[in-house]
């Protein structure tokens, strides 16, 4: 892992962020968001690795998952509060945390808590808030003011817009090639928006919410040319088809969709298509295009 230098070396140095999450896809999504905003980002899979990084880099923001047991996370919170300068510590988790544990974390020095899933702008707003809070308390760098709103590129964290989604698939194919592993993509064809009218957005939100809750945290959902796509790392064709059938059954029997007559028709129009690298049964256009681009990159190099 390549570490970045502390911003003490230059007043214009990018702000350094450390992402700590056990899931590769979560780290990749968050890193893409922060990279595009000009942050220097290091990643770690656990708290021990993150603590080891601290010796060579001073981070302004540290974003961690909740790690079991609670004392492990509490110890890391206390570790960060013992550093000079103290980073802004944001806990980003999908793990239900009761009031007593939450109080203990904040009493130990935790600065902020986000419960997944959440929007891109919401995520970036909390990062900027943390940087501003650190600037006010420590005086290390000038507070930034930006009057423009951030472009929305995802609905909720893990539900990527097409540009990000194609980039992520490309990254996953490269990783699967490098490690000689399988990766699968499920494309879920949605009903056309003009057919459902004003109900489409509500239907879409309910559907993506159900998919996100029914997948592993490391799996990723994105938009692609009228489809919803699900990226499954280290998953073969059989595994992806078993998952697709289970998801379709969950959708068809879910009370929310059963209660809406117009939605039942939309559900009947859903279609699941599958792609698995390196042995595809069919190749969606997005994958075929990305593979051709990657082959062209190889020839150019």
């Amino acid at each position: 892992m390549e570490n970045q230098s502390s911003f003490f070396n230059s007043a214009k140095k990018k702000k350094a962020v450390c992402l700590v999450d056990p899931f590769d896809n979560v780290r990749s999504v968050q890193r893409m968001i922060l990279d595009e905003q000009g942050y220097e980002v290091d990643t770690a899979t656990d708290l021990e690795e993150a603590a080891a990084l601290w010796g060579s880099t001073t981070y302004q923001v540290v974003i961690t998952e909740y790690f079991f047991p609670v004392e492990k996370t509490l110890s890391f919170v206390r570790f960060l509060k013992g550093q000079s300068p103290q980073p802004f510590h944001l806990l980003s988790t999908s793990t239900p945390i009761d009031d007593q544990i939450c109080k203990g974390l904040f009493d130990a020095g935790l600065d902020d808590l986000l419960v997944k899933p959440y929007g891109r702008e919401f995520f970036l707003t909390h990062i900027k808030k943390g940087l501003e809070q650190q600037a006010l308390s420590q005086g290390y760098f000038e507070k930034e003011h930006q009057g423009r709103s951030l472009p929305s590129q995802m609905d909720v964290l893990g539900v990527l817009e097409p540009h990000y989604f194609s980039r992520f698939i490309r990254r996953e194919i490269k990783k699967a090639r490098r490690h000689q592993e399988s990766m699968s993509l499920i494309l879920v064809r949605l009903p056309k928006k003009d057919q459902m009218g004003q109900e489409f957005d509500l239907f879409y939100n309910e559907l993506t919410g159900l998919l996100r809750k029914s997948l592993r945290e490391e799996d990723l959902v994105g938009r692609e040319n009228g489809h919803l796509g699900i990226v499954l790392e280290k998953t073969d064709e059989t595994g992806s088809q078993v998952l697709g059938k289970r998801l379709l059954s969950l959708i068809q029997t879910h009370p929310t969709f059963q209660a809406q007559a117009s939605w039942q028709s939309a559900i009947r129009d859903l279609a699941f298509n599958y792609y698995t690298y390196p042995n595809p049964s069919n190749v969606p256009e997005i994958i075929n295009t990305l593979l051709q681009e990657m082959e062209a990159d190889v020839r150019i190099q």
Side-chain angles (χ1 to χ4, degrees):
M1 181 179 299
E2 181 180 353
N3 293 329
Q4 308 291 349
S5 299
S6 166
F7 71 100
F8 290 122
N9 295 333
S10 171
K12 296 183 179 179
K13 198 72 174 177
K14 296 177 182 178
K15 293 172 284 294
V17 178
C18 184
L19 298 173
V20 190
D21 198 291
F23 299 111
D24 292 343
N25 288 355
V26 174
R27 294 195 308 275
S28 295
V29 170
Q30 291 181 335
R31 182 164 196 161
M32 280 195 297
I33 295 171
L34 294 172
D35 279 345
E36 290 206 345
Q37 294 299 308
Y39 295 99
E40 288 187 342
V41 183
D42 281 342
T43 63
T45 59
D46 56 43
L47 299 178
E48 291 80 4
E49 185 180 357
L53 289 174
W54 195 267
S56 56
T57 302
T58 298
Y59 298 102
Q60 285 73 64
V61 176
V62 178
I63 305 168
T64 67
E65 242 292 356
Y66 178 79
F67 287 84
F68 293 99
V70 61
E71 187 56 41
K72 190 173 185 178
T73 298
L74 281 169
S75 295
F76 189 74
V77 174
R78 298 186 187 107
F79 164 78
L80 291 181
K81 289 309 157 185
Q83 303 305 310
S84 181
Q86 293 180 2
F88 182 84
H89 185 191
L90 171 64
L91 186 67
S92 168
T93 185
S94 58
T95 301
I97 299 177
D98 62 36
D99 291 344
Q100 184 176 356
I101 292 178
C102 188
K103 181 179 183 302
L105 290 168
F106 279 98
D107 287 346
L110 182 67
D111 295 303
D112 200 359
L113 172 66
L114 289 181
V115 179
K116 301 173 185 174
Y118 43 75
R120 174 182 182 272
E121 294 187 26
F122 191 69
F123 177 60
L124 287 173
T125 296
H126 279 255
I127 301 300
K128 291 189 175 184
K129 184 193 77 172
L131 288 167
E132 291 178 353
Q133 178 174 315
Q134 190 197 50
L136 289 171
S137 61
Q138 302 290 346
Y140 291 135
F141 54 86
E142 183 179 356
K143 180 179 177 180
E144 295 179 356
H145 295 280
Q146 295 183 349
R148 60 184 176 85
S149 59
L150 293 168
S152 177
Q153 296 295 342
M154 65 172 62
D155 302 320
V156 294
L157 190 64
V159 182
L160 296 177
E161 291 295 336
H163 170 68
Y164 282 86
F165 188 51
S166 61
R167 285 177 55 194
F168 190 84
I169 294 173
R170 182 185 177 101
R171 180 180 298 181
E172 287 300 298
I173 294 174
K174 284 184 175 180
K175 186 167 67 174
R177 276 183 169 181
R178 184 168 61 251
H179 297 291
Q180 297 185 332
E181 297 174 339
S182 296
M183 63 81 63
S184 292
L185 170 68
I186 302 176
L187 290 179
V188 184
R189 189 187 67 199
L190 300 177
K192 295 185 180 299
K193 190 171 184 177
D194 55 7
Q195 293 177 345
M196 296 192 68
Q198 295 180 347
E199 292 188 61
F200 178 85
D201 288 338
L202 185 57
F203 174 82
Y204 170 82
N205 290 336
E206 289 289 341
L207 180 62
T208 52
L210 179 60
L211 290 176
R212 186 64 268 172
K213 292 176 183 177
S214 305
L215 295 168
R216 302 171 301 182
E217 187 167 355
E218 63 266 32
D219 299 331
L220 186 136
V221 181
R223 290 175 182 249
E224 196 284 314
N225 191 27
H227 300 79
L228 280 176
I230 305 170
V231 178
L232 308 168
E233 66 174 11
K234 300 179 182 179
T235 303
D236 60 18
E237 187 170 1
T238 300
S240 67
Q241 291 183 357
V242 169
L243 175 63
K245 291 177 182 179
R246 180 173 67 84
L247 291 175
L248 182 58
S249 177
L250 285 173
I251 295 168
Q252 292 172 336
T253 58
H254 195 273
T256 300
F257 298 108
Q258 289 294 314
Q260 304 286 339
S262 60
W263 289 15
Q264 294 177 25
S265 175
I267 290 172
R268 287 194 293 270
D269 290 338
L270 292 178
F272 283 63
N273 295 314
Y274 304 90
Y275 165 86
T276 298
Y277 178 85
N279 298 309
S281 58
N282 57 57
V283 182
E285 183 179 353
I286 181 176
I287 295 295
N288 192 41
T289 300
L290 289 172
L291 286 171
Q292 291 174 359
E293 290 176 354
M294 291 168 64
E295 292 298 336
D297 289 345
V298 172
R299 289 195 295 271
I300 291 172
Q301 293 172 1

mmCIF file of all heavy atoms in Angstrom, residues 251-271:
data_model
loop_
_atom_site.group_PDB
_atom_site.id
_atom_site.type_symbol
_atom_site.label_atom_id
_atom_site.label_comp_id
_atom_site.label_asym_id
_atom_site.label_seq_id
_atom_site.Cartn_x
_atom_site.Cartn_y
_atom_site.Cartn_z
ATOM 1 N N ILE A 251 -38.714 -10.280 -4.386
ATOM 2 C CA ILE A 251 -39.429 -9.136 -4.957
ATOM 3 C C ILE A 251 -40.895 -9.491 -5.204
ATOM 4 O O ILE A 251 -41.809 -8.730 -4.873
ATOM 5 C CB ILE A 251 -38.753 -8.685 -6.268
ATOM 6 C CG1 ILE A 251 -37.343 -8.153 -5.984
ATOM 7 C CG2 ILE A 251 -39.583 -7.620 -6.977
ATOM 8 C CD1 ILE A 251 -36.494 -7.963 -7.241
ATOM 9 N N GLN A 252 -41.120 -10.657 -5.796
ATOM 10 C CA GLN A 252 -42.482 -11.060 -6.160
ATOM 11 C C GLN A 252 -43.379 -11.264 -4.944
ATOM 12 O O GLN A 252 -44.592 -11.058 -5.020
ATOM 13 C CB GLN A 252 -42.432 -12.334 -6.991
ATOM 14 C CG GLN A 252 -41.820 -12.141 -8.378
ATOM 15 C CD GLN A 252 -41.601 -13.447 -9.098
ATOM 16 O OE1 GLN A 252 -41.477 -14.523 -8.478
ATOM 17 N NE2 GLN A 252 -41.534 -13.394 -10.434
ATOM 18 N N THR A 253 -42.792 -11.654 -3.823
ATOM 19 C CA THR A 253 -43.599 -11.948 -2.630
ATOM 20 C C THR A 253 -43.558 -10.836 -1.588
ATOM 21 O O THR A 253 -44.205 -10.957 -0.546
ATOM 22 C CB THR A 253 -43.106 -13.250 -1.975
ATOM 23 O OG1 THR A 253 -41.719 -13.135 -1.629
ATOM 24 C CG2 THR A 253 -43.291 -14.425 -2.920
ATOM 25 N N HIS A 254 -42.826 -9.763 -1.855
ATOM 26 C CA HIS A 254 -42.694 -8.699 -0.864
ATOM 27 C C HIS A 254 -44.028 -7.965 -0.704
ATOM 28 O O HIS A 254 -44.677 -7.593 -1.690
ATOM 29 C CB HIS A 254 -41.607 -7.708 -1.298
ATOM 30 C CG HIS A 254 -41.159 -6.810 -0.196
ATOM 31 N ND1 HIS A 254 -41.792 -5.623 0.107
ATOM 32 C CD2 HIS A 254 -40.155 -6.925 0.698
ATOM 33 C CE1 HIS A 254 -41.184 -5.042 1.113
ATOM 34 N NE2 HIS A 254 -40.179 -5.814 1.495
ATOM 35 N N PRO A 255 -44.481 -7.727 0.545
ATOM 36 C CA PRO A 255 -45.792 -7.102 0.789
ATOM 37 C C PRO A 255 -45.961 -5.754 0.104
ATOM 38 O O PRO A 255 -47.059 -5.433 -0.380
ATOM 39 C CB PRO A 255 -45.827 -6.958 2.318
ATOM 40 C CG PRO A 255 -44.902 -8.003 2.827
ATOM 41 C CD PRO A 255 -43.820 -8.120 1.801
ATOM 42 N N THR A 256 -44.903 -4.958 0.046
ATOM 43 C CA THR A 256 -45.015 -3.626 -0.566
ATOM 44 C C THR A 256 -45.393 -3.728 -2.032
ATOM 45 O O THR A 256 -46.247 -2.979 -2.531
ATOM 46 C CB THR A 256 -43.684 -2.858 -0.433
ATOM 47 O OG1 THR A 256 -43.368 -2.706 0.948
ATOM 48 C CG2 THR A 256 -43.791 -1.473 -1.074
ATOM 49 N N PHE A 257 -44.796 -4.665 -2.759
ATOM 50 C CA PHE A 257 -45.097 -4.818 -4.177
ATOM 51 C C PHE A 257 -46.427 -5.525 -4.399
ATOM 52 O O PHE A 257 -47.126 -5.250 -5.372
ATOM 53 C CB PHE A 257 -43.960 -5.582 -4.859
ATOM 54 C CG PHE A 257 -42.632 -4.884 -4.791
ATOM 55 C CD1 PHE A 257 -41.621 -5.347 -3.969
ATOM 56 C CD2 PHE A 257 -42.402 -3.747 -5.531
ATOM 57 C CE1 PHE A 257 -40.403 -4.697 -3.905
ATOM 58 C CE2 PHE A 257 -41.187 -3.080 -5.470
ATOM 59 C CZ PHE A 257 -40.193 -3.547 -4.649
ATOM 60 N N GLN A 258 -46.791 -6.411 -3.480
ATOM 61 C CA GLN A 258 -48.068 -7.100 -3.592
ATOM 62 C C GLN A 258 -49.245 -6.155 -3.391
ATOM 63 O O GLN A 258 -50.329 -6.354 -3.941
ATOM 64 C CB GLN A 258 -48.133 -8.240 -2.556
ATOM 65 C CG GLN A 258 -47.230 -9.414 -2.851
ATOM 66 C CD GLN A 258 -47.633 -10.158 -4.102
ATOM 67 O OE1 GLN A 258 -48.808 -10.445 -4.311
ATOM 68 N NE2 GLN A 258 -46.662 -10.468 -4.964
ATOM 69 N N ALA A 259 -49.039 -5.100 -2.606
ATOM 70 C CA ALA A 259 -50.131 -4.180 -2.262
ATOM 71 C C ALA A 259 -50.468 -3.224 -3.400
ATOM 72 O O ALA A 259 -51.530 -2.600 -3.392
ATOM 73 C CB ALA A 259 -49.770 -3.383 -1.014
ATOM 74 N N GLN A 260 -49.575 -3.083 -4.391
ATOM 75 C CA GLN A 260 -49.786 -2.140 -5.487
ATOM 76 C C GLN A 260 -50.071 -2.919 -6.770
ATOM 77 O O GLN A 260 -49.205 -3.595 -7.302
ATOM 78 C CB GLN A 260 -48.533 -1.271 -5.676
ATOM 79 C CG GLN A 260 -48.081 -0.522 -4.437
ATOM 80 C CD GLN A 260 -48.987 0.656 -4.130
ATOM 81 O OE1 GLN A 260 -49.692 1.151 -5.004
ATOM 82 N NE2 GLN A 260 -48.964 1.090 -2.882
ATOM 83 N N ALA A 261 -51.307 -2.785 -7.265
ATOM 84 C CA ALA A 261 -51.687 -3.534 -8.463
ATOM 85 C C ALA A 261 -50.823 -3.164 -9.661
ATOM 86 O O ALA A 261 -50.401 -4.030 -10.440
ATOM 87 C CB ALA A 261 -53.162 -3.281 -8.785
ATOM 88 N N SER A 262 -50.533 -1.869 -9.823
ATOM 89 C CA SER A 262 -49.720 -1.437 -10.958
ATOM 90 C C SER A 262 -48.288 -1.943 -10.843
ATOM 91 O O SER A 262 -47.610 -2.170 -11.850
ATOM 92 C CB SER A 262 -49.734 0.091 -11.064
ATOM 93 O OG SER A 262 -49.209 0.681 -9.883
ATOM 94 N N TRP A 263 -47.809 -2.127 -9.618
ATOM 95 C CA TRP A 263 -46.448 -2.604 -9.418
ATOM 96 C C TRP A 263 -46.332 -4.086 -9.744
ATOM 97 O O TRP A 263 -45.274 -4.550 -10.158
ATOM 98 C CB TRP A 263 -46.002 -2.355 -7.979
ATOM 99 C CG TRP A 263 -45.762 -0.906 -7.682
ATOM 100 C CD1 TRP A 263 -46.155 0.167 -8.431
ATOM 101 C CD2 TRP A 263 -45.059 -0.377 -6.560
ATOM 102 N NE1 TRP A 263 -45.765 1.332 -7.831
ATOM 103 C CE2 TRP A 263 -45.087 1.028 -6.677
ATOM 104 C CE3 TRP A 263 -44.437 -0.941 -5.465
ATOM 105 C CZ2 TRP A 263 -44.504 1.874 -5.745
ATOM 106 C CZ3 TRP A 263 -43.844 -0.114 -4.525
ATOM 107 C CH2 TRP A 263 -43.879 1.286 -4.666
ATOM 108 N N GLN A 264 -47.410 -4.839 -9.537
ATOM 109 C CA GLN A 264 -47.374 -6.260 -9.846
ATOM 110 C C GLN A 264 -47.103 -6.483 -11.330
ATOM 111 O O GLN A 264 -46.368 -7.391 -11.723
ATOM 112 C CB GLN A 264 -48.689 -6.916 -9.435
ATOM 113 C CG GLN A 264 -48.914 -6.922 -7.928
ATOM 114 C CD GLN A 264 -50.252 -7.511 -7.537
ATOM 115 O OE1 GLN A 264 -50.822 -8.312 -8.276
ATOM 116 N NE2 GLN A 264 -50.770 -7.118 -6.375
ATOM 117 N N SER A 265 -47.689 -5.619 -12.160
ATOM 118 C CA SER A 265 -47.435 -5.700 -13.593
ATOM 119 C C SER A 265 -45.981 -5.372 -13.902
ATOM 120 O O SER A 265 -45.336 -6.027 -14.734
ATOM 121 C CB SER A 265 -48.355 -4.731 -14.339
ATOM 122 O OG SER A 265 -48.050 -4.709 -15.714
ATOM 123 N N ALA A 266 -45.439 -4.364 -13.213
ATOM 124 C CA ALA A 266 -44.043 -3.985 -13.416
ATOM 125 C C ALA A 266 -43.100 -5.109 -13.018
ATOM 126 O O ALA A 266 -42.083 -5.349 -13.680
ATOM 127 C CB ALA A 266 -43.730 -2.723 -12.622
ATOM 128 N N ILE A 267 -43.430 -5.808 -11.939
ATOM 129 C CA ILE A 267 -42.597 -6.914 -11.471
ATOM 130 C C ILE A 267 -42.573 -8.042 -12.497
ATOM 131 O O ILE A 267 -41.548 -8.685 -12.727
ATOM 132 C CB ILE A 267 -43.094 -7.424 -10.108
ATOM 133 C CG1 ILE A 267 -42.807 -6.375 -9.026
ATOM 134 C CG2 ILE A 267 -42.428 -8.745 -9.741
ATOM 135 C CD1 ILE A 267 -43.424 -6.700 -7.697
ATOM 136 N N ARG A 268 -43.730 -8.281 -13.150
ATOM 137 C CA ARG A 268 -43.779 -9.337 -14.168
ATOM 138 C C ARG A 268 -42.877 -9.010 -15.350
ATOM 139 O O ARG A 268 -42.438 -9.913 -16.081
ATOM 140 C CB ARG A 268 -45.225 -9.545 -14.632
ATOM 141 C CG ARG A 268 -46.103 -10.246 -13.607
ATOM 142 C CD ARG A 268 -47.399 -10.721 -14.237
ATOM 143 N NE ARG A 268 -48.249 -9.592 -14.633
ATOM 144 C CZ ARG A 268 -49.155 -9.028 -13.835
ATOM 145 N NH1 ARG A 268 -49.321 -9.487 -12.598
ATOM 146 N NH2 ARG A 268 -49.890 -8.029 -14.264
ATOM 147 N N ASP A 269 -42.596 -7.710 -15.550
ATOM 148 C CA ASP A 269 -41.739 -7.297 -16.661
ATOM 149 C C ASP A 269 -40.246 -7.348 -16.316
ATOM 150 O O ASP A 269 -39.409 -7.159 -17.206
ATOM 151 C CB ASP A 269 -42.090 -5.872 -17.096
ATOM 152 C CG ASP A 269 -43.450 -5.797 -17.778
ATOM 153 O OD1 ASP A 269 -43.915 -6.841 -18.284
ATOM 154 O OD2 ASP A 269 -44.056 -4.704 -17.796
ATOM 155 N N LEU A 270 -39.932 -7.583 -15.035
ATOM 156 C CA LEU A 270 -38.517 -7.648 -14.657
ATOM 157 C C LEU A 270 -37.859 -8.856 -15.319
ATOM 158 O O LEU A 270 -38.443 -9.934 -15.396
ATOM 159 C CB LEU A 270 -38.365 -7.766 -13.140
ATOM 160 C CG LEU A 270 -38.771 -6.557 -12.292
ATOM 161 C CD1 LEU A 270 -38.592 -6.887 -10.812
ATOM 162 C CD2 LEU A 270 -37.967 -5.323 -12.653
ATOM 163 N N ALA A 271 -36.625 -8.674 -15.773
ATOM 164 C CA ALA A 271 -35.871 -9.781 -16.369
ATOM 165 C C ALA A 271 -34.458 -9.752 -15.820
ATOM 166 O O ALA A 271 -33.835 -8.691 -15.731
ATOM 167 C CB ALA A 271 -35.866 -9.663 -17.891
#
